[in-house]
Amino acid sequence: MDDARVADRAVEAAQGKRVKGRLLVEHELKVRGVEESAVEDALGAIPSGSEADRAESALRKRLKPGDTRQKSAGFLVRRGFDEDTVQEAIERVFGPWE
């Protein structure tokens, strides 16, 4: 399988049941030795606005009563979402920071 197909499939899988952020997908592909250009092309196919939507969706599926902003933020970071995306998803779920 060529690098472009591997990268495209990784991006598709990251949008499936176990949602992953761009940072985690990029890291996993680089560890597998996929060429930088193939990684960038595949990641470019993800609409930028959808990243926050996917983070919010992942958080809402996992959220339990009593979960804090900090615990939720940690979950999203471990899933590979960047700081701005995490903040936006947390604000959507919990409301604005006070």
Side-chain angles (χ1 to χ4, degrees):
M1 206 181 282
D2 67 13
D3 284 350
R5 283 184 65 193
V6 169
D8 288 341
R9 286 193 178 178
V11 167
E12 289 173 16
Q15 297 180 58
K17 187 174 180 178
R18 186 173 186 273
V19 176
K20 296 177 186 177
R22 295 172 63 93
L23 295 175
L24 183 57
V25 173
E26 180 179 13
H27 171 74
E28 289 175 347
L29 290 171
K30 286 180 179 179
V31 167
R32 291 176 72 178
V34 175
E35 286 185 24
E36 184 77 27
S37 62
V39 172
E40 292 302 319
D41 288 345
L43 291 175
I46 301 173
S48 59
S50 71
E51 186 84 346
D53 294 338
R54 292 181 316 112
E56 178 185 2
S57 175
L59 182 56
R60 288 191 186 278
K61 287 178 186 174
R62 183 201 173 277
L63 197 62
K64 298 177 186 139
D67 279 355
T68 63
R69 290 173 183 264
Q70 292 77 16
K71 184 175 181 178
S72 299
F75 165 74
L76 292 175
V77 168
R78 287 187 301 279
R79 283 285 179 98
F81 292 100
D82 65 53
E83 184 178 334
D84 292 336
T85 302
V86 170
Q87 184 173 352
E88 185 176 343
I90 294 292
E91 287 179 357
R92 287 182 184 183
V93 173
F94 289 96
W97 294 90
E98 297 177 3

